[in-house]
Amino acid sequence: MDDMNELVAQRHKKLAELRESGNDPFSNRFDPETTTAAVREAYDAVTKDALEAEHRFASIAGRIVAMRDFGKAAFVHIQDATGRLQLYFRKDLLGDQYAQVKKLDIGDIIGVKGRVFRTRTDELTLEVNEYVLVTKALLPLPEKWHGLKDVELRYRQRYVDLIVNPQVKETFQKRSAIIKAVRDFLEAKGFIEVETPMMHQIPGGAAARPFSTHHNALDIDLFLRIAPELYLKRLLVGGYDRVFELNKNFRNEGISIKHNPEFTMLEFYVAYKDYRYLMDFTEELFATIANKVLGTLKVPYGDHVIDLTPPWPRIPMLESLRQKGVPDAVMTDRDFALKWAWEQKLEVKKDSSHAKIIDEVFKEFVEQYLVQPTFITDYPVELSPLAKRKPENPELTERFELFIAAREIANAFSELNDPLDQRRRFEKQVEAKQQGDDEAHAMDEDFVRALEYGMPPAAGEGIGIDRLVMLLTNSQSIRDVILFPQMKPEAQ
RNA sequence: GGGCCAUUAGCUCAGCUGGUAGAGCAGCUGACUCUUAAUCAGCGGGUCGGAGGUUCGAAUCCUCCAUGGCUCACCA
């Protein structure tokens, strides 16, 4: 901030004057006894006359967000972590101190003590007896009517966004409540929370390009994890039968309204259960969280109201295609599927596998219609290198993805625990990688070794927490639920 | 990475087919002891995102660059 404009220069001048007069513009000598919300709660039901009779006092601290000066009196709104409250400064009460009130600016943080009363318009207000400036603001806040709208500024200077846009603060309070509700739910179900490495020597557990870094002392390349999956399953081998991890994953891919390079993922694993169990479990989880955080299962989202009331439809993937009029031959005949996809103007590569073509067709013909919660089940084995095959059809897997608001929000399957099959599937991925698929898995020998010791049958699920928060806060962009989304460097 | 759009005062925005920059809020000065978008009078504030070009003249037209938004591709 080199450009010292007039507004900023004025504030620096006030700051210097305060220092000269012996007042510390960054004083730490104020400890509020209560909050604006607590004051409101305590006196909301108390009438004007009762307050006049009682003479109740309170001390609070907060940032000045509005000021109306009358010469010998002034009304000021301050905002603390819990809300806003009006203050009333009067010259006849404050005497000499009143001159300093005129030096206060919107944005300054002050501590006040005073009597609670109601104004003529019945607004609960604090009549200030003493006040102290605890933090001088050197930069002016955005305008009071429109707030801060410029999305670039909102993301880059989230601190300002949080000061002036109350709904932003609310969103992140809800985010915190959602995450707490998830933890409470899982702990009540007997899970333990674990932390597995963020830095992987072999990035695995998902199909994605990783960020790479380097460890100097060991002189090895490391990758920021794209998923914790393979480590969590090692813990099943170790004997924990219910584990979860709720933390960041990192994927070196495009940024969009649905994607941030680092994002928060919940993964959990249950021994001796399969993917059917997880569908019931997921319904209960979502319903519990929505009830706790929003108090309802009917969630407004964009133009829709999402109804989270269980049970949700469960549709096998191929069946979902049939329902949208995709011909049967697409499911059974790879060459026909390619031809048909091209006829539908889908961008499918000539050498794509049958499963990849089906996946494309699904995205185009089904996914965008899955507004209400829907489980799509039984994905082709090729798209699911870590999932268990269906006994009655080994080309399909015991897997589901949960779609809400036309977005994948959870992915789960019965975990493959046959080390020989796992090794073959890794080998197939390695082949794909050599043929240029840079999102294919690498071989993880240690993971196969772990399976060779024996992993109990288990079901595992991943839930994109950011997307869950988007859903429950009616946010259209992932950047609205991540406090500091990734941005390019600020232009100089 | 591709396409489309945007960038003007601290903030929110006007600015026509090119004629030399405006409003509201915020700020400053003054008046005002129940206002809440307070009111009233006055004042200051701009490398028009950056660099080139066309033109007698560019915020406006053209080119390149930067950042952002949406979108497509990849993915969760």
Side-chain angles (χ1 to χ4, degrees), chain A residues 7 19 26 35 40 77 118 121 191 196 223 225 229 249 251 267 283 286 293 296 313 333 375 395 427 441 476:
Chain A
L7 298 181
R19 285 206 158 118
F26 299 101
T35 63
R40 217 170 266 296
H77 270 93
R118 284 183 184 280
T121 53
F191 286 76
T196 64
F223 302 91
R225 75 178 186 190
E229 170 150 355
N249 287 349
R251 298 190 185 175
E267 282 201 16
E283 287 170 349
F286 276 58
V293 176
T296 175
D333 180 339
F375 293 112
E395 286 309 300
E427 282 164 355
H441 262 96
Q476 302 306 312

Side-chain angles (χ1 to χ4, degrees), chain A residues 212-265:
Chain A
S212 58
T213 183
H214 187 79
H215 190 286
N216 289 339
L218 295 178
D219 192 25
I220 53 169
D221 288 329
L222 290 170
F223 302 91
L224 300 188
R225 75 178 186 190
I226 55 175
E229 170 150 355
L230 300 184
Y231 281 97
L232 293 173
K233 287 200 276 202
R234 284 172 171 97
L235 295 177
L236 293 176
V237 172
Y240 294 109
D241 61 2
R242 291 188 170 218
V243 295
F244 77 94
E245 181 161 10
L246 201 169
N247 219 320
K248 293 279 179 78
N249 287 349
F250 307 86
R251 298 190 185 175
N252 203 342
E253 282 159 355
I255 294 178
S256 83
I257 201 163
K258 290 188 274 186
H259 302 89
N260 194 60
E262 55 180 298
F263 61 102
T264 302
M265 186 80 161

